[in-house]
Amino acid sequence: MSGARQSSRLAEWDAGATTRIVEDLRHLDGPLLAILHALQDRHGYIDDQALPIIADLLNLSRAEVHGVVSFYHDFRRRPPGRHVIKLCRSEACQSVGGERVARRLEASLAIAAGETTPDGRVTLESVYCLGNCALGPAALVDGKLYGRVDEKLLRHLVSPEVAA
Amino acid sequence: MTVRLFVPRDAAALSVGAHGVALAFEAEIRGRGLDATLVRNGSRGLFWLEPLVEVETPSGRVGYGPVGPGDVPGLVDAGLLTGGAHRLSLGPVEAIPYLANQQRLTFQRCGVIDPLSLDDYAAHGGLDGLRRALALGGAAIVDAVAESGLRGRGGAAFPTGIKWRAVLEAEADIKYIVCNADEGDSGTFADRMLMEGDPFLLIEGMAIAGLAVGAEKGVVYVRSEYPHAFRRLGQAIDIARRRGLLGFDLLGSGRRFEMEARLGAGAYICGEETALLESLEGKRGQVRFKPPLPAHHGLFGRPTVINNVISLASVPFILAEGAAAYRDLGHGRSRGTTPIQLAGNVRRGGLIERAFGLTLGEIVEDYGGGTLTGRPVRAVQVGGPLGAYWPTSLFHVPFDYEAFLERGGMVGHGGVVVFDDSVDLAAQARFAFAFCAHESCGKCTPCRIGSIRGAETLDKIIAGEAPEANGDLVRDLCEVMRDGSLCALGGLTPLPVLSAFDHFPEDFERRPRSAAP
Ligand SMILES: Cc1cc2nc3c(=O)[nH]c(=O)nc-3n(C[C@H](O)[C@H](O)[C@H](O)COP(=O)(O)O)c2cc1C
Ligand code: SF4
Ligand code: FES
């Protein structure tokens, strides 16, 4: 499941694993999303080289597979950093200073939302509601949910002293 | 006797440290050899008190909160296991006014039971609805749901009984029950809480829907932003299957119903029912033209009931207690109870299940206690990103589908987001357009392009560029989006935008640029 297992334990992309994942899940009705999630869980992103393999095994055109991958905000096309912060940008979090947290975090990490720090440590992403709207600002950090976050807490959670 | 101690495993409780609290209690229990067991319940939905720890005493459940891991040894010293007094004591949990002043039907077990104990579930009235449904048969189940007055809680408020009847009457070899757990609206968390805190209720509701319309397969589409809920629901489905609540022989009746949970992939539009079906089929989440309706041509072209989590989870009560018990509650044409979700800049945010009819003021002031920041309330947005912004002068309006529509708003999925007086409604209107642009499925031009133009025009207004002329432009644009969009994403984005303009005009009257020094 995407978001549940980012960080350092990600495997390098390989064709054999992709084939195995597709074989394992193709029995599902409408298996494509489940396959893409399984790939992203394993590698942190969907490698371009996976698309023709999926298309062949599912009897779809490459354009169809590409169309699905690009439609959904979850699916990354590049490997993420060792840590992924998904910061909520929706209204309830805005009402308690969520945008200020976003601006400060972007400034201190020196990246914009959607980017990874040059040292490959942190990827910052925007999400739109985590269902923690009474305890905002909210963020998922490496798949763990946090409430009442500020820039300091988020930086701490991905700092070398705390996280591997 | 072993004392039961409750520390929530609800994602919101975990987000403020419940896991550390549970570990600290485990250490105390082991270290001191206490005769206590830890139960990981869902949340009561009193989020400002999380982590909210409860102890079962002979005189009922006693609460403490918000508890941090460091408080745990002191709590044990103070005799928490027998309900002893402590700085963090909340007294009997069910007497906390926020909870005592609710009518919990759908959420009666949420936060009370062990979410993964089917025995706990049954001991608290679970499965009564399914047993009744098995005795009734399809048409009578549909009649009961229709009589209850239940309307869809996902946002569109369509009568559930009518939808079910259409699927019951459709002829097909395969029919589906699809549960919409995409819950994309900011300010909402009822679906999440229920899936985490009482997942068997959703399973029971889906099984009843299957019996009602003659469907043997159910799918829950859970948004990927809810990893905890997805895991919990998956565990509950496995347990239900092992214990005969799902499978070939529902509770020994010979009837069958199977279900699975599937994960979304971060697309708000996949909450729209036809986009959701496309997504479940493994495609881009693009909205389908209607007709045909999902009831006739739904998942993989088969007749499909698609309902929100709360709609389905409301059904077991209706079957167990009778349609009248549900219908007798409510206001106007909005019958029964609904979980109002109070969120944003509010002191006491949480879930309030009440019969329809509470006023906005009662929700925000009486339950919520005003803003978290202590500043005056200036606006509330009700119904998610497509819902209107309301000024406090409309706080007398009752929570009721029609009453909200009459004043240019909507109840939606029941989220109420509070803003203090630092809010800039021009910025919020801009966000509404930007969100629409970000989430548009791309099928219609007014939504795909209009939303981008809208955001650009608001940038100009915010910069003080011809606010009046640009304001007129926004109004025209809203009209085009409202009339020319296939679904409510493009069609209702004008709601937050125009309500901001109409109720908070001062935020759009920027100083013209030329007047700047
Ligand atoms: C843009 C958009 C987003 C929606 N998001 C959701 C959602 O997250 N959850 C939901 O239950 N319904 C959502 N709906 C409403 C569904 O289309 C549909 O009405 C609902 O699933 C029907 O179930 P109900 O009758 O039980 O409410 C959305 C509609 C639109 C237009
Ligand atoms: S209104 Fe927007 S989201 Fe809805 S169908 Fe049209 S383009 Fe897609
Ligand atoms: S709006 Fe941020 S968690 Fe819901």
Side-chain angles (χ1 to χ4, degrees):
Chain A
M1 173 189 351
S2 161
R5 201 161 47 83
Q6 269 109 19
S7 90
S8 37
R9 280 170 289 166
L10 296 172
E12 294 272 308
W13 184 80
D14 72 277
T18 300
T19 304
R20 273 197 306 281
I21 284 173
V22 180
E23 297 286 0
D24 277 356
L25 295 173
R26 65 193 290 179
H27 70 278
L28 295 172
D29 294 331
L32 186 50
L33 255 68
I35 288 169
L36 295 173
H37 272 305
L39 278 172
Q40 182 150 307
D41 273 357
R42 185 179 167 86
H43 308 294
Y45 75 110
I46 312 288
D47 197 284
D48 285 343
Q49 301 171 81
L51 305 191
I53 298 176
I54 300 169
D56 282 354
L57 290 170
L58 295 186
N59 245 331
L60 298 170
S61 72
R62 288 177 193 196
E64 279 172 295
V65 178
H66 179 268
V68 172
V69 175
S70 60
F71 183 85
Y72 294 95
H73 301 302
D74 272 2
F75 299 128
R76 293 185 199 102
R77 311 302 304 279
R78 301 274 168 273
R82 291 191 290 287
H83 302 289
V84 176
I85 300 175
K86 295 183 177 216
L87 181 63
C88 176
R89 308 296 294 272
S90 276
E91 292 94 331
C93 287
Q94 293 168 11
S95 77
V96 284
E99 291 307 284
R100 200 159 50 238
V101 176
R103 276 196 307 275
R104 288 186 181 158
L105 200 57
E106 285 182 331
S108 68
L109 295 172
I111 53 172
E115 296 177 349
T116 301
T117 52
D119 63 359
R121 170 164 287 278
V122 186
T123 297
L124 175 63
E125 294 178 344
S126 298
V127 287
Y128 294 89
C129 193
L130 294 164
N132 199 21
C133 330
L135 292 171
L140 270 176
V141 181
D142 297 334
K144 270 180 82 175
L145 184 64
Y146 293 87
R148 298 283 189 239
V149 305
D150 54 22
E151 179 251 345
K152 225 178 103 195
L153 173 69
L154 293 175
R155 275 233 328 258
H156 172 75
L157 290 171
V158 297
S159 67
E161 309 87 72
V162 174
Chain B
M1 222 193 75
T2 305
V3 178
R4 296 215 298 169
L5 191 66
F6 298 80
V7 180
R9 192 179 266 148
D10 172 273
L14 293 176
S15 84
V16 287
H19 184 63
V21 173
L23 291 181
F25 272 115
E26 274 171 7
E28 290 294 317
I29 290 170
R30 248 184 290 112
R32 303 197 198 193
L34 303 172
D35 190 15
T37 56
L38 198 60
V39 178
R40 302 304 300 275
N41 54 337
S43 174
R44 299 268 195 170
L46 278 52
F47 289 119
W48 78 100
L49 297 175
E50 294 288 3
L52 168 55
V53 174
E54 297 180 41
V55 183
E56 204 163 55
T57 75
S59 54
R61 301 243 301 233
V62 174
Y64 301 84
V67 176
D71 298 320
V72 170
L75 280 164
V76 175
D77 289 341
L80 147 134
L81 287 184
T82 52
H86 183 275
R87 175 176 56 85
L88 297 173
S89 292
L90 301 166
V93 175
E94 263 137 42
I96 297 172
Y98 200 93
L99 199 53
N101 293 325
Q102 298 199 23
Q103 291 157 298
R104 289 214 166 172
L105 312 181
T106 308
F107 283 81
Q108 59 181 295
R109 277 173 299 265
C110 190
V112 176
I113 63 167
D114 175 347
L116 292 180
S117 164
L118 198 49
D119 297 328
D120 225 2
Y121 181 67
H124 286 80
L127 303 181
D128 290 354
L130 181 57
R131 291 211 174 85
R132 181 90 191 104
L134 282 165
L136 280 179
I141 300 171
V142 172
D143 287 344
V145 172
E147 270 169 44
S148 75
L150 177 66
R151 291 162 71 184
R153 301 290 188 245
F158 188 82
T160 306
I162 294 180
K163 190 182 278 189
W164 287 21
R165 183 159 291 131
V167 180
L168 170 65
E169 287 168 358
E171 301 274 346
D173 53 343
I174 297 177
K175 298 179 184 178
Y176 291 103
I177 308 298
V178 170
C179 173
N180 188 339
D182 200 52
E183 195 163 67
D185 290 359
S186 167
T188 67
F189 39 76
D191 300 352
R192 181 188 64 67
M193 266 181 68
L194 195 114
M195 289 187 283
E196 295 181 11
D198 196 10
F200 292 125
L201 181 63
L202 176 57
I203 295 172
E204 184 180 350
M206 300 239 339
I208 294 172
L211 292 172
V213 304
E216 296 184 342
K217 180 82 206 276
V219 189
V220 187
Y221 185 87
V222 184
R223 65 201 302 257
S224 61
E225 292 85 347
Y226 285 1
H228 306 76
F230 183 71
R231 273 197 296 273
R232 191 71 38 80
L233 183 63
Q235 292 164 338
I237 290 172
D238 286 345
I239 293 167
R241 201 175 283 137
R242 280 205 301 277
R243 298 279 304 268
L245 167 55
L246 289 172
F248 294 100
D249 188 19
L250 277 194
L251 300 181
S253 66
R255 301 293 301 270
R256 57 196 282 179
F257 190 72
E258 233 339 304
M259 66 182 273
E260 63 178 304
R262 288 292 187 88
L263 210 51
Y268 179 76
I269 194 57
C270 288
E272 195 282 333
E273 56 188 13
T274 62
L276 187 154
L277 295 174
E278 290 289 299
S279 185
L280 274 181
E281 293 179 9
K283 303 178 192 151
R284 294 161 69 88
Q286 271 187 319
V287 175
R288 296 177 182 170
F289 288 99
K290 285 191 263 189
L293 294 171
H296 300 126
H297 192 91
L299 187 60
F300 299 108
R302 299 310 209 298
T304 300
V305 165
I306 174 160
N307 275 127
N308 173 255
V309 173
I310 303 302
S311 312
L312 289 162
S314 301
V315 169
F317 175 89
I318 292 165
L319 269 290
E321 306 294 327
Y326 197 77
R327 190 194 52 218
D328 288 350
L329 300 168
H331 190 264
R333 289 174 48 217
S334 307
R335 308 314 308 170
T337 62
T338 199
I340 298 162
Q341 298 130 84
L342 186 53
N345 193 337
V346 63
R347 255 181 68 203
R348 294 190 292 265
L351 182 126
I352 304 158
E353 183 178 356
R354 278 281 300 248
F356 285 92
L358 272 181
T359 67
L360 264 179
E362 285 172 313
I363 295 165
V364 175
E365 304 293 350
D366 299 353
Y367 285 89
T371 63
L372 182 69
T373 44
R375 302 170 68 104
V377 175
R378 178 141 184 265
V380 296
Q381 187 181 27
V382 185
L386 308 176
Y389 285 96
W390 300 72
T392 53
S393 59
L394 287 174
F395 269 21
H396 60 281
V397 176
F399 215 78
D400 164 317
Y401 295 120
E402 277 68 39
F404 268 52
L405 276 179
E406 270 165 34
R407 288 164 182 87
M410 67 156 178
V411 163
H413 185 48
V416 176
V417 175
V418 182
F419 293 82
D420 73 11
D421 62 354
S422 67
V423 67
D424 173 2
L425 272 301
Q428 298 309 123
R430 185 198 186 280
F431 177 78
F433 276 128
F435 183 76
C436 179
H438 187 255
E439 301 295 344
S440 172
C441 87
K443 204 153 180 164
C444 9
T445 316
C447 169
R448 191 182 68 239
I449 306 293
S451 54
I452 296 172
R453 292 286 166 275
E456 289 168 357
T457 311
L458 269 154
D459 281 338
K460 290 183 188 160
I461 295 175
I462 289 167
E465 229 174 275
E468 249 173 59
N470 279 318
D472 291 344
L473 200 63
V474 169
R475 285 182 187 277
D476 289 347
L477 203 56
C478 282
E479 207 170 299
V480 174
M481 286 178 70
R482 197 185 52 214
D483 299 340
S485 296
L486 179 58
C487 87
L489 181 59
L492 291 182
T493 291
L495 225 58
V497 173
L498 294 180
S499 60
F501 268 89
D502 291 341
H503 298 307
F504 306 91
E506 60 278 18
D507 287 15
F508 298 85
E509 291 158 6
R510 307 285 159 137
R511 207 158 27 130
R513 225 195 238 159
S514 54

